Amino acid sequence: MATDLRELSRVLEASLDATKNKQAELALLQEEKRPNFTLSLLQIVATESYGGTARLASALYFKNYIRRNWTDEDGNHKLPQSEVAAIRQELIGLMISVPSNIQYQLGDAIGVIADSDFWEKWDTLVDDLVSRLTADNPKINNGVLQVAHSIFKRWRPLYRSDPLFTEINHVLGKFGTPFLALIDSTDRLIDRSETDKAVLIQLFATLNLIVKLLYDLSVQDLPPVFEDNLPAVTTLLHKYLVYENVLLRSDDETEAGPLEHVKSGIFEVIELWVKKYEDAFGAHVGKFVETSWGLLTNVGPETQYDFLVSKALQFLTAVTSIAEHAQAFNNEATLSQVVERVILPNMTLRDSDMELFEDEPIEFIRRDLEGSDSDTRRRAATDFLRQLMSKFENLISSVVLRYVDHYLSEYSSDPTNKWKSKDTAVYLYSSIAARGTITASQGATCTNDFADVIEFFQKHVAGDLVATSGVEPILKVDAIKYLYIFRSQITATQWNDAFPLLVKHLGSSDYVVYTYAAIALERTMALVNNDKQPVINRSNVNSVSAELLKHLFGLVQKDPQPAKLQENEFLMRCIMRVLVVIKDGVIPTYEMAAENFVRILEISSQNPSNPRFCYYLFEALGAFIRFTAPKMPGQLENRLYAPFAGALQNDVQEFIPYIFQLFAALLEANPSESLSDYYQSLIPPILTPELWASKGNVPALVRLITSLIARGASHIAQSNQLETILGIFQSLISTKTNEVYGFELLECIVANFPSTVLDKYFVTVLNIIFGRLQTSKTESFTLRFVRFYHFVSANTEKGLGADYFVNMADQIQENIFVPIYLNIILPDTQKLLRPLDRKTAVISLTKTLTQSNAFAEKYKKGWAFSCEALLKLLENPPIPPATDDIIAEQDPDDMSFGVGFTQLTTIKRPPRDHWPEISDVKKWVSECLRTADGRTNGKITSYAQERLSPEASPILAAYMR
């Protein structure tokens, strides 16, 4: 039946409506099953009559569908080849004709396709692009260049490799010369169109894309076609760096216009060239430095120029990192000019900064926070100053300290009206006092020789932190931020005085002040000294934890609207940190914390809008469960089950993988208890295929289902749910992405179900595994199989063991075990790296030598090979890792929220030792061998003499003495 495009467009439009999107998404999942679904989406995109919203929704859905369904993990197309060819053919033409907002979505889809197909499977693409370029039609050119940028920008983060350079050379051989011709023709068109605003805007869109492509094409190496034409190219770049035309000015002082975008892009290109290709570009640097200086000393303070100013400063930072070019600044007069005319104007607070402080405080914090505001004027000016400092420390410190003293003196003369001068002084001093990178975990780990950050704090900053009134909020923020930056330079004794001051500022009525206090508190509580001991003692936090948590929860819920409640991730991160530090010290405030968590969870689940807030919410919940559940498991399960189950029932996709992990943590906290009705009712829904279809759910689901099995194996067996679970194992193990999780599930089944239950399934399980070993084994798969074999072989007490495995394998094919054991299990046993895996292998091999009839009587050479493998493992005996209570840090800026699985570190499952009673494996092996030898009237000794090599026999004998 043909797709009804009109109806499909309505469903797509509804998918963008928050009140209808759940139902629309279900309908679209059904539509996906129709033939040529992607082509129907592209047809809607191409047809103006469907309206802008439906066309954009169709482009978005197409992009996401392509991400999920273009290729499998082996790189093979999942769609029919006819559909693949039609998509490629349609996309380029569509990119030329659709509006820019739709172009961006299709461009992302093209990037995904290019990752798989370009260039070898799509070797006509560049020819197609070149054939569409024109000398005088910017609209068509912009579509072509947008496609090119979508594909070539993929090279930016990649490491150098032969295949990458083959691809780049393929592109340059076809695209390089026409691209230079397009630059020339665009330049001439701009000259001819100086008075035509509409045409100029289109042409500057072309020029902006040209500049992006200059970056793309030279990001790995400077193309010969560019190097041969470098004088002409740099002349053109310089021309547009100084170009002015009132028609291109933005009417909005807060938004950059076409000209600012082009100039910013040019600075990015020449910064790249000066960093990577100074030998070729160095001769041209001088004129760009002069132009940068002119721009920076004449540009206005309006926010529309912020990005441009930051890019110009970043270019100068790159220039001064090269000794030859830095020498131009090597005198006090020049550096004074640089500080006065470039650094200070871009460090001083502007009216627009204060408006942001008051009207959008969370945005002010995100821009101002150290390390997160690289494209602001202040950050770029600071980086430039620090670069100069690294080259000319004495000169720069002398110049800057004069300005610091000047601004402090200015403030002292009129504190009420000159408070901005103090803000500039503190910021300026902080910028030069810190040496090297300011890290997220430690702050400034080194300071420059002249700097005494403690003395400066005590003389000029501490007063603002102590004062209860009469201090501008921004100066309070400066004081807190100073502590935050230099936290590693402050001693534990000094922190005993400073910590209560930070706690006090959580009570400020100013949003930025209390948020910065939370940021500084969180980082300080995470700070450790050289001995890995916390700088802030747990008892200090514990004594104020009840009030601290109550106040932080109150700040989070100040505005209960879902979007506002989730706005401030820094507060939730601080809550998480308090719980991590005080551990079970939260139990006296259990009721208050649980009540707040449930309320925040219910409100934010209505419309999750801030992934970082959600992440810290669930990390905080994880810490809460970790430290309270062992002592009150039933109480906590009853309290959290309803909100967790509600989020699952309402299909809150952003929460589901987190909730599965938290359910698992609750189950694991009470391992001896049987499954409650709550959890029994949870099993059928989590076995449905739809949940397992999402890649991000799989690791969390496996953890949850293994936790359920550990507590409820008998219920699962009685409910005939084991076969369904084994079906999930089969599905997981069939893909490289999920094979590890498949084995994790299988090992849990083997560990928790009696062999009498496993018997009827085990042959089928081995058949599935052997099939993968034969057709598409990977090293990861092989090692997990070896680990699984040893796990089964070591579990003789459960009625398993080596003989059990041999018997089951031989039911598939007589003697199939022999080549698998000799060619896979034995050699790859030595590749096991984790101590607990090696320990399992030692136990397995020892029991094989002492308990296996098959190896004693049938596989006599196998007995000797097993003994030699055991002795080799014992050369470096596995020592199980010591357990600790340290929670590893994750930086959410490095995570891809919404793309895949995000593990919660506060409840990360530790590796499980199935044989904790065996601590000294060498001693255990000796005892086991001696006991078996005595039990069998010396058979072990006899086997060793008959079967082992002269080298191995005395080594084994030493263990048996």
Side-chain angles (χ1 to χ4, degrees), residues 509-704:
S509 60
D510 189 277
Y511 188 104
V512 180
V513 172
Y514 69 66
T515 301
Y516 249 116
I519 292 167
L521 279 168
E522 190 277 326
R523 287 290 79 199
T524 305
M525 286 187 282
L527 194 64
V528 295
N529 60 24
N530 293 334
D531 298 323
K532 303 298 181 185
Q533 295 303 306
V535 170
I536 303 296
N537 194 282
R538 178 186 171 189
S539 61
N540 290 356
V541 182
N542 224 352
S543 63
V544 295
S545 62
E547 283 304 308
L548 200 54
L549 287 170
K550 184 178 179 182
H551 193 68
L552 284 164
F553 278 125
L555 291 173
V556 169
Q557 298 168 87
K558 213 171 185 180
D559 186 333
Q561 294 299 314
K564 290 298 290 182
L565 178 138
Q566 298 170 74
E567 175 184 76
N568 196 328
E569 67 266 21
F570 305 107
L571 296 174
M572 187 51 71
R573 187 176 188 180
C574 193
I575 290 171
M576 176 207 75
R577 183 62 56 197
V578 172
L579 293 170
V580 167
V581 170
I582 66 173
K583 298 182 170 56
D584 59 3
V586 72
I587 289 175
T589 57
Y590 159 81
E591 197 62 45
M592 177 273 293
E595 182 181 332
N596 279 285
F597 272 130
V598 168
R599 189 161 52 243
I600 291 170
L601 189 65
E602 288 173 343
I603 293 172
S604 55
S605 69
Q606 295 170 26
N607 182 24
S609 55
N610 182 351
R612 283 175 174 76
F613 178 90
C614 294
Y615 168 72
Y616 286 123
L617 167 62
F618 286 106
E619 284 284 21
L621 271 163
F624 184 57
I625 289 169
R626 176 173 177 166
F627 298 119
T628 58
K631 296 187 179 178
M632 46 177 62
Q635 199 174 342
L636 199 58
E637 286 180 8
N638 292 336
R639 193 63 182 269
L640 295 178
Y641 186 88
F644 286 179
L648 296 180
Q649 288 163 4
N650 293 325
D651 195 29
V652 185
Q653 290 290 325
E654 297 86 346
F655 285 11
I656 287 175
Y658 292 132
I659 287 174
F660 288 155
Q661 293 177 74
L662 294 177
F663 265 139
L666 284 167
L667 285 157
E668 291 157 8
N670 192 18
S672 60
E673 188 69 29
S674 61
L675 281 186
S676 65
D677 291 343
Y678 284 150
Y679 288 123
Q680 289 180 18
S681 66
L682 188 62
I683 296 173
I686 68 167
L687 299 182
T688 56
E690 290 78 13
L691 270 180
W692 293 84
S694 170
K695 291 179 183 177
N697 286 347
V698 169
L701 276 169
V702 168
R703 179 169 180 188
L704 175 55

Side-chain angles (χ1 to χ4, degrees), residues 3-115:
T3 300
D4 183 342
L5 293 182
R6 179 63 62 185
E7 179 57 28
L8 178 57
S9 72
R10 281 196 284 267
V11 175
L12 286 162
E13 196 165 341
S15 71
L16 299 183
D17 184 337
T19 63
K20 304 175 183 175
N21 62 345
K22 297 292 184 190
Q23 190 175 351
E25 285 167 8
L26 291 173
L28 288 168
L29 288 173
Q30 294 303 312
E31 289 290 334
E32 285 184 12
K33 298 173 184 176
R34 294 181 183 272
N36 295 320
F37 172 69
T38 56
L39 301 181
S40 297
L41 292 175
L42 292 181
Q43 198 171 339
I44 292 171
V45 171
T47 308
E48 290 187 17
S49 62
Y50 288 121
T53 304
R55 294 173 74 196
L56 177 61
S58 192
L60 275 165
Y61 204 88
F62 175 81
K63 173 187 73 175
N64 292 324
Y65 182 86
I66 290 297
R67 279 181 175 158
R68 288 183 281 116
N69 296 291
W70 189 250
T71 58
D72 61 22
E73 59 185 10
D74 294 319
N76 302 312
H77 290 127
K78 292 166 73 172
L79 300 174
Q81 282 304 307
S82 58
E83 194 170 350
V84 167
I87 288 169
R88 289 180 189 153
Q89 188 175 346
E90 290 289 325
L91 269 178
I92 309 304
L94 262 182
M95 282 290 286
I96 292 168
S97 63
V98 297
S100 59
N101 63 334
I102 295 176
Q103 275 186 347
Y104 293 134
Q105 306 307 325
L106 296 182
D108 286 347
I110 288 171
V112 173
I113 294 170
D115 276 336

Side-chain angles (χ1 to χ4, degrees), residues 320 329 335 338 384-392 396:
T320 50
F329 297 88
L335 289 173
V338 169
F384 182 36
L385 182 59
R386 285 179 179 160
Q387 181 60 60
L388 290 170
M389 190 79 184
S390 71
K391 297 291 183 185
F392 318 113
I396 276 288

Side-chain angles (χ1 to χ4, degrees), residues 862-892:
W863 192 96
F865 294 147
S866 300
C867 186
E868 288 167 3
L870 172 63
L871 295 176
K872 193 168 182 63
L873 283 173
L874 291 174
E875 288 174 7
N876 181 21
I879 301 172
T883 57
D884 58 45
D885 215 15
I886 296 172
I887 295 173
E889 286 287 310
Q890 275 194 119
D891 184 353

